Amino acid sequence: MTASEILKMMPLIIVLATPLITMLIIALHRNHLTTMIVSVIGLVLAIIAIPYSKALDLTKIGELLIIDNYALFYFLLIFTATIAIIIPSYPYLEMRFKGNREEYYLLILTATLGSSVLAASTHFVSFFLGLEILSVSLYALISYLRQTNEGIEAGLKYLILAAVSSAFLVFGMALIYSQTGKMEFNALMQFFSNSSKLNLISIVGLVLMIVGFGFKLAVVPFHTWSPDVYEGAPAPVSAFIASVSKGGILALLFRFFSQYDVLNSKPLFLIFALLAVFSMFGGNFLALLQTNVKRLLAYSSIAHFGYILVAFLAGNNAQNFKGVEAATFYIVSYFITIIGAFIVVGIFSTREREAMSVSDYRGLYWRHPWLSVAFSAMLFSLAGIPLTAGFIGKYYVLASGIDNQLWTLVIILIVNSALGVYYYLRIVVEMFSQPEEAAETKHPSPSVGVMTGLILAVLTIALIWLGVYPTGVIGAIKISVMGL
Amino acid sequence: MNSIIPYLIVGAIVFVLGIFTIVYKKNAVGILMGVELVLNSVNINFIAFAKFVDTGIHGQIISIFVIILAAAEAAIALAIILNIYRMKATVDVTQLNKMKH
């Protein structure tokens, strides 16, 4: 490996080194605040390394990794999101967990590493490795609050289902490998584009891989784990699963199919279209019935991944990557909103339990005007109300669908957006309604730390800024998607 | 053996046994063993394909990674199962039903 290759990989190397250094620091001096600060510094250094890495010309690192603009864009997104999740984790853990809190940061950092390896991988080996670094860290993170029944239960559920889905995925890889003898994405897609060579085994392999993808993205009908895991996991970890973990897998999905014309291939188009339709309807209808905010966010995230799949169908290489562009913008806005929403849920948690029921938020405006405004902004964006990032994202997805005449999918998307508005607004209405008399004693008012408040403020401002002036971010996404 | 078919048959049998174990076992450790069976069937396939299809050793390399993963997963899974046992004095997964819709 040459020096310039090492320089090119610098962001990844820093993210790899940070947990190692953190581990040593924990061995020498166990302190919660120090660990948190060191991990944030590591991530900030990794972000600083991104422009230097971008300036270098070469992209391919051996056979396994490709660090192009697309990968670097996702690195930036993943690292920033992780920082936004780590900082509010500090007061959350201080309040809710009485064991060793420091290892939490190690696990989050390794999970981030896994997710960013996914965004940069072009080979089955790096794909598998990244996915498993991510999932194995998540098993431990989900059951981190090990004195709670829910945490342990969620951890075991995720462990079994994720292990089975990885097994399906890797079995699919084996079947594809048996037909091609290759594991590089580009070579595989050349094979699949040449329909004369396709046979039953390779198609079964591809379907098994899509099942694996579906499990990780929690699209219907592979979604059953997600509400339980979102509910049982600590709020910051739920935010991490919803954003960073799914983002890395989506980045890989886009890259995997980037050279393949999904839109004009009958069976694959049908599979993804069905997944998208089921996820949109399933997610939204199940969310309508929910009174638990964390489960509601879980179902709504199922629906959001249905929307993203519509954009994914609307085009990659053959359509000039318009669809991937829209999907990437949607992911950016979705990251901001879902992380913000879970931060608010984390702030309202008490030592005994998390603020999960919708009634916990009753009259929030009268106690915490700023918090409730930030939370409303997040919910409006999830619902796709104008002037928020969610609206521009949805508009973009719709536009890419209309460009390719996917009328059925577009109409279903619009109907579902209307459904979504109802259950998001229900929480908003609850927040702004008058509290009952005894409310003050029932919900002890939480204290918001300076840093957590700052993160929340930045997220809210970013949300509105993207909703009003998205040009800059869209330009960056266009450049990054071009080289895919 | 110079034919790939026996390897595929053994791999498929182990895969199906693993899936059945995962679906029908109520004991968390049993489910974990089912997962290991499935991963090992994948290994059999990868190594067979590396011998018969590929000119290189990609299949063997990925199977080493799968073995490492299986070990890491078992470590974490047993830690979680141990905590369940400590809390509930049972490792029956049907007892884990606190969260419902």
Side-chain angles (χ1 to χ4, degrees):
Chain A
M1 191 171 282
T2 62
S4 58
E5 275 179 344
I6 290 177
L7 272 180
K8 189 78 192 175
M9 285 172 72
M10 218 31 156
L12 276 183
I13 292 174
I14 294 172
V15 173
L16 170 64
T18 318
L20 300 179
I21 293 168
T22 324
M23 218 183 293
L24 288 177
I25 291 176
I26 292 175
L28 293 173
H29 174 67
R30 190 178 266 282
N31 180 292
H32 188 192
L33 188 62
T34 323
T35 319
M36 191 271 273
I37 291 175
V38 170
S39 34
V40 171
I41 290 175
L43 287 167
V44 170
L45 284 178
I47 290 175
I48 293 173
I50 288 175
Y52 293 100
S53 171
K54 190 178 170 149
L56 291 172
D57 252 347
L58 92 171
T59 54
K60 216 145 164 42
I61 313 285
E63 251 184 273
L64 297 185
L65 295 176
I66 179 162
I67 302 192
D68 51 4
N69 288 341
Y70 176 77
L72 287 172
F73 180 83
Y74 271 93
F75 284 2
L76 180 63
L77 192 63
I78 288 170
F79 297 162
T80 324
T82 310
I83 293 176
I85 291 167
I86 279 185
I87 291 175
S89 300
Y90 176 77
Y92 181 89
L93 284 179
E94 280 285 318
M95 182 173 64
R96 291 211 66 209
F97 188 59
K98 278 195 286 301
N100 290 332
R101 304 182 182 104
E102 291 77 9
E103 280 77 7
Y104 173 89
Y105 300 94
L106 288 182
L107 292 167
I108 280 248
L109 286 168
T110 45
T112 311
L113 177 71
S115 186
S116 33
V117 167
L118 280 179
S121 72
T122 55
H123 195 279
F124 275 168
V125 171
S126 51
F127 172 18
F128 182 67
L129 210 54
L131 188 69
E132 294 308 331
I133 296 171
L134 174 66
S135 325
V136 172
S137 317
L138 279 179
Y139 304 155
L141 277 174
I142 290 168
S143 41
Y144 200 80
L145 303 181
R146 60 173 189 275
Q147 78 278 24
T148 62
N149 267 323
E150 292 87 355
I152 291 287
E153 184 181 334
L156 191 71
K157 277 181 179 164
Y158 186 74
L159 182 122
I160 292 170
L161 286 173
V164 174
S165 74
S166 308
F168 273 104
L169 191 78
V170 87
F171 200 82
M173 285 179 186
L175 291 183
I176 292 175
Y177 176 62
S178 76
Q179 298 305 305
T180 58
K182 293 200 176 59
M183 293 194 182
E184 269 191 299
F185 294 171
N186 277 345
L188 292 178
M189 283 307 130
Q190 272 164 20
F191 173 85
F192 280 113
S193 302
N194 183 355
S195 52
S196 62
K197 278 199 232 155
L198 281 185
N199 55 15
L200 187 66
I201 293 181
S202 58
I203 289 173
V204 170
L206 203 58
V207 170
L208 281 177
M209 280 193 74
I210 292 171
V211 171
F213 276 125
F215 259 112
K216 302 288 174 186
L217 294 176
V219 290
V220 179
F222 312 114
H223 68 289
T224 41
W225 60 271
S226 90
D228 285 353
V229 169
Y230 278 45
E231 184 186 342
V237 176
S238 308
F240 192 87
I241 301 168
S243 60
V244 176
S245 120
K246 288 185 181 176
I249 291 156
L250 265 185
L252 184 116
L253 184 70
F254 295 153
R255 195 193 288 286
F256 189 71
F257 286 107
S258 65
Q259 301 306 322
Y260 187 71
D261 194 359
V262 182
L263 192 60
N264 296 320
S265 102
K266 271 267 149 44
L268 219 52
F269 179 82
L270 198 67
I271 291 173
F272 278 113
L274 282 179
L275 286 181
V277 171
F278 284 147
S279 307
M280 287 191 280
F281 275 123
N284 279 322
F285 272 116
L286 290 168
L288 281 178
L289 308 171
Q290 278 304 321
T291 53
N292 178 323
V293 175
K294 277 175 108 182
R295 292 182 86 92
L296 190 146
L297 287 174
Y299 284 121
S300 93
S301 105
I302 294 170
H304 282 286
F305 278 86
Y307 305 153
I308 291 175
L309 281 184
V310 173
F312 164 71
L313 280 175
N316 34 39
N317 194 20
Q319 288 79 30
N320 236 342
F321 293 116
K322 273 280 184 292
V324 175
E325 198 183 304
T328 306
F329 185 83
Y330 201 92
I331 292 169
V332 174
S333 68
Y334 172 76
F335 264 49
I336 297 171
T337 48
I338 203 82
I339 291 174
F342 275 114
I343 289 176
V344 174
V345 174
I347 289 174
F348 280 98
S349 302
T350 58
R351 195 176 297 276
E352 292 79 31
R353 58 186 204 96
E354 295 195 317
M356 288 197 283
S357 147
V358 173
S359 60
D360 286 340
Y361 295 85
R362 190 171 181 87
L364 184 63
Y365 176 74
W366 310 101
R367 286 175 285 145
H368 287 278
W370 289 110
L371 263 181
S372 66
V373 167
F375 197 28
S376 312
M378 304 297 165
L379 292 171
F380 281 143
S381 172
L382 285 171
I385 306 274
L387 287 185
T388 59
F391 172 73
I392 305 278
K394 215 166 254 174
Y395 166 80
Y396 226 131
V397 169
L398 278 177
S400 69
I402 290 169
D403 269 351
N404 293 294
Q405 277 99 41
L406 303 174
W407 295 113
T408 328
L409 286 175
V410 165
I411 290 167
I412 291 175
L413 205 163
I414 293 171
V415 170
N416 274 287
S417 303
L419 276 177
V421 172
Y422 170 73
Y423 58 81
Y424 294 122
L425 285 187
R426 210 175 56 192
I427 304 180
V428 176
V429 167
E430 197 77 5
M431 278 197 294
F432 284 85
S433 57
Q434 275 293 351
E436 310 126 41
E437 280 304 307
E440 288 301 320
T441 49
K442 218 167 74 187
H443 316 295
S445 59
S447 57
V448 185
V450 179
M451 289 307 286
T452 311
L454 194 69
I455 296 276
L456 207 53
V458 169
L459 288 176
T460 313
I461 291 168
L463 191 72
I464 292 166
W465 180 61
L466 275 186
V468 177
Y469 184 73
T471 326
V473 176
I474 287 174
I477 291 173
K478 268 207 174 87
I479 293 169
S480 70
V481 166
M482 270 306 142
L484 199 63
Chain B
M1 279 186 276
N2 285 322
S3 156
I4 194 170
I5 302 297
Y7 296 93
L8 291 185
I9 291 173
V10 172
I13 290 173
V14 176
F15 184 81
V16 173
L17 286 178
I19 295 291
F20 268 98
T21 315
I22 293 166
V23 173
Y24 286 109
K25 274 277 175 189
K26 286 183 179 151
N27 186 314
V29 180
I31 293 176
L32 189 65
M33 289 161 89
V35 173
E36 304 283 321
L37 275 182
V38 173
L39 289 176
N40 280 325
S41 81
V42 173
N43 277 343
I44 295 173
N45 276 354
F46 264 124
I47 295 169
F49 297 147
K51 185 179 175 197
F52 289 102
V53 182
D54 197 356
T55 47
I57 53 164
H58 288 101
Q60 286 158 26
I61 289 172
I62 202 168
S63 69
I64 289 175
F65 281 117
V66 175
I67 292 169
I68 296 169
L69 160 83
E73 214 163 53
I76 297 234
L78 288 175
I80 293 176
I81 293 170
L82 203 62
N83 267 300
I84 290 171
Y85 186 73
R86 197 180 283 163
M87 221 177 309
K88 305 208 163 195
T90 172
V91 288
D92 187 344
V93 288
T94 52
Q95 300 294 313
L96 292 172
N97 50 6
K98 201 152 174 297
M99 290 183 288
K100 286 253 171 68
H101 301 284

